[in-house]
Amino acid sequence: MRIPLSCLIFMAACSNEANHIGNPLLLPFSGLATVFENSVYNKRRGRVEVFVKSNHPALIADITAGGGGHISEAMNIARIPASDQPTRLIQMKSDIALYKANPGALVTALMVYRG
């Protein structure tokens, strides 16, 4: 009785149905992929954060003006697609009070807008 039950449990674990874990046989590979993706994200976020904190007044001026070199460079560092940048600039302009008071919020917005 134990062997058929064990086989049934293992077969259910390997189903093609959606679940939050994924295929258990691929967990080591997905774990490595996650580590790589996180390191790439953290490196990009670090670059965005340094740029925003080093150029905060100029970025605020560019956002208020509706565009400029500094905000364009920040969006490029964050890898926001060029086609999305005008829309994102409008969104940032509507939240300018938050970004004036909190450079970290601008960093977060830039990273989130990348998707």
Side-chain angles (χ1 to χ4, degrees):
M1 180 69 182
R2 288 185 182 184
I3 292 175
L5 183 59
S6 298
C7 289
L8 181 63
I9 290 171
F10 284 122
M11 288 175 59
C14 295
S15 74
N16 291 328
E17 297 297 318
N19 61 54
H20 70 284
I21 296 175
N23 186 336
L25 300 175
L26 299 177
L27 283 178
F29 301 107
S30 63
L32 288 174
T34 300
V35 167
F36 176 73
E37 290 169 2
N38 286 344
S39 68
V40 169
Y41 174 86
N42 289 336
K43 183 178 178 183
R44 184 169 36 97
R45 182 178 176 91
R47 290 181 59 218
V48 170
E49 187 169 355
V50 167
F51 187 82
V52 167
K53 290 183 178 179
S54 300
N55 299 287
H56 188 251
L59 288 165
I60 296 302
D62 282 358
I63 294 168
T64 303
H70 286 91
I71 193 62
S72 292
E73 188 171 348
M75 287 190 210
N76 290 334
I77 293 170
R79 296 190 184 141
I80 297 171
S83 60
D84 287 349
Q85 289 184 12
T87 304
R88 301 308 183 184
L89 188 58
I90 292 168
Q91 289 174 315
M92 284 188 269
K93 194 172 183 177
S94 69
D95 292 327
I96 194 68
L98 172 63
Y99 303 137
K100 279 183 183 178
N102 188 350
L106 181 55
V107 171
T108 301
L110 289 165
M111 295 305 294
V112 169
Y113 291 155
R114 164 64 170 103

